[in-house]
Amino acid sequence: MNKGKKIEPLVGEALLKKVKELDNLSKEEKAKACGYYTVTKNGVERVNMMKFLNALIDAEGVQLDSKQGGNGRGGRSASYRISVQSNGNLLIGSAYTSQMGLQPGDEFEIALGRKHIRLRQIDSDGNPAEEE
């Protein structure tokens, strides 16, 4: 085996096409033929099945680890950091509000600290909700 030449693993449509061409081979042989293997210092070839299978899932367009909101749209995931916008506003995005199960019209009490802002949800009676 030529150690000097690094084979770039196939992805996307090229990967799907190659796998279909090799339908008579085992999955390990398919993974190796698509470039999902490494050669150890001792010259032993190791097939990386996890990378191969993940690449196949990605090529098929299957999203396993992203959560979409209830309205069917994607969007950003919560990073738990925000910045003050140029107009002075702080925007709390839908990633946070949907995670908390908030609905349009839900109200909050704002408590300002020296270096923090605390939001406490107001219940239907107009009282701050109990903290968890």
Side-chain angles (χ1 to χ4, degrees), residues 34-130:
C34 292
Y36 289 88
Y37 71 95
T38 56
V39 179
T40 65
K41 289 186 239 179
N42 300 333
V44 177
E45 292 179 350
R46 293 215 168 146
V47 178
N48 192 332
M49 285 303 296
M50 189 59 75
K51 282 186 179 179
F52 174 64
L53 295 174
N54 283 334
L56 278 175
I57 290 169
D58 290 344
E60 287 287 347
V62 177
Q63 298 294 324
L64 293 179
D65 55 4
S66 68
K67 291 183 180 177
Q68 289 189 343
N71 60 3
R73 296 186 330 195
R76 294 184 180 178
S77 60
S79 66
Y80 299 97
R81 294 189 94 153
I82 59 173
S83 299
V84 177
Q85 297 179 338
S86 60
N87 61 4
N89 290 341
L90 285 173
L91 176 68
I92 299 174
S94 64
Y96 307 102
T97 56
S98 64
Q99 198 172 49
M100 292 179 64
L102 300 177
Q103 301 296 320
D106 286 352
E107 294 184 346
F108 290 83
E109 173 184 273
I110 299 172
L112 299 177
R114 187 161 171 247
K115 293 216 172 220
H116 68 272
I117 298 171
R118 176 172 288 184
L119 298 175
R120 289 181 38 179
Q121 191 168 9
I122 305 293
D123 65 16
S124 58
D125 298 328
N127 299 319
E130 295 294 318

